[in-house]
Amino acid sequence: MLENRFPNIKVLESGVKQLKSEEHCIFTEDGSQHVYKKLCLCAGAKPKLICEGNPYVLGIRDTDSAQEFQKQLTKAKRIMIIGNGGIALELVYEIEGCEVIWAIKDKAIGNTFFDVGAAEFLTSKLISEKPETKIAHKRTRYTTEGKKKEARTKVNADNVGSALGPDWHEGLSLKGTKEFSRKIHIETMCEVKKIYLQEEFRILKKKSCIFPRDHHNESIKSDKGKIYNHLF
């Protein structure tokens, strides 16, 4: 489609085998050789997970991982969101029917995007009910094609898909097993020290903190050694 619309574009479906920057030349896995004047590398990024190999730790970067998160969320009573970036902000606001513990290393939410005053205002919006009528978008929106997704095999499980855009959560049902709208507890100025699996948690006889019931929407500074139990 791109080649038909733009005659100056040529699409090659092949991985890059070798790059010779001094000769301005690229060798692809199909055996071809391509000379260039300027080169733009768009390899994407892979999230650095806080715990590799843990089935309960999921990094959201692309459309596939977002759909996997939706699948896991349907069975969850409580989740923990780590990070203070754009995706974390949207997740905390959009998730319903599930207790959310949001852990950030900063004093206020969204410090990359706005100041403390704006953060306090937006925190109050997390407490209030979500508006039933969605605000109309006036910008250009992009969606994925409605084709049946191929099942991920061990061969392509590590391959990353298309990066998430501003409307990535549109069409996803981000709802847990509970009937309430939102319950959010924010832990500020903290980092994850260790993650336990359920069996390990029981053997070590660790004690989990109870989700704050009376002030579940207040942002507090984390105490040292606080442990929360995720209810999947």
Side-chain angles (χ1 to χ4, degrees):
M1 181 188 68
L2 287 173
E3 289 179 339
N4 291 334
R5 292 180 60 183
F6 306 101
N8 62 318
I9 292 180
K10 184 179 180 181
V11 179
L12 301 173
E13 295 188 34
S14 180
V16 176
K17 185 178 181 180
Q18 185 180 9
L19 167 64
K20 292 187 176 181
S21 57
E22 293 183 359
E23 291 85 350
H24 286 221
C25 183
I26 281 182
F27 295 88
T28 54
E29 293 178 348
D30 59 5
S32 301
Q33 178 179 342
H34 306 278
V35 179
Y36 64 88
K37 183 177 181 180
K38 290 186 177 180
L39 178 65
C40 177
L41 297 176
C42 305
K46 186 176 180 180
K48 183 180 179 181
L49 297 181
I50 56 177
C51 184
E52 295 287 349
N54 190 316
Y56 299 106
V57 177
L58 176 65
I60 299 179
R61 176 211 172 269
D62 53 23
T63 51
D64 290 340
S65 57
Q67 290 176 348
E68 177 63 24
F69 173 75
Q70 176 189 237
K71 179 181 176 182
Q72 297 288 345
L73 185 63
T74 58
K75 301 176 288 184
K77 299 177 182 178
R78 179 189 300 167
I79 67 169
M80 192 164 189
I81 296 176
I82 312 298
N84 200 13
I87 293 179
L89 284 166
E90 291 180 300
L91 275 179
V92 173
Y93 180 79
E94 294 292 337
I95 291 175
E96 296 180 0
C98 182
E99 295 176 350
V100 175
I101 300 169
W102 188 11
I104 60 177
K105 62 181 180 180
D106 309 298
K107 292 183 179 180
I109 66 172
N111 69 323
T112 306
F113 306 100
F114 30 75
D115 57 27
V116 177
E120 292 179 358
F121 171 77
L122 291 174
T123 301
S124 66
K125 292 298 181 182
L126 294 177
I127 301 174
S128 61
E129 293 290 325
K130 290 175 63 178
E132 295 183 3
T133 306
K134 292 186 177 181
I135 301 173
H137 296 288
K138 296 183 179 181
R139 63 176 181 273
T140 303
R141 299 174 65 189
Y142 299 90
T143 58
T144 55
E145 285 186 306
K147 294 181 179 180
K148 186 177 180 180
K149 292 264 182 191
E150 294 182 3
R152 279 195 168 190
T153 62
K154 291 183 178 180
V155 177
N156 63 7
D158 294 330
N159 293 344
V160 292
S162 56
L164 298 175
D167 303 306
W168 66 271
H169 50 78
E170 294 292 333
L172 294 178
S173 177
L174 299 179
K175 186 172 176 59
T177 59
K178 299 292 185 177
E179 294 300 324
F180 54 76
S181 177
R182 288 189 296 198
K183 282 189 178 181
I184 302 166
H185 176 68
I186 305 174
E187 292 278 351
T188 61
M189 300 182 68
C190 67
E191 294 185 8
V192 175
K193 185 177 181 180
K194 185 173 177 59
I195 297 178
Y196 299 95
L197 290 175
Q198 190 176 43
E199 188 62 28
E200 185 182 7
F201 193 82
R202 290 173 179 172
I203 293 174
L204 295 175
K205 296 181 180 181
K206 295 289 184 179
K207 188 176 181 181
S208 172
C209 290
I210 299 174
F211 190 92
R213 300 294 175 183
D214 298 327
H215 307 285
H216 56 263
N217 287 307
E218 289 188 3
S219 175
I220 66 171
K221 185 175 180 179
S222 175
D223 297 329
K224 184 178 181 182
K226 188 172 287 187
I227 302 175
Y228 283 99
N229 188 17
H230 297 189
L231 304 179
F232 288 100

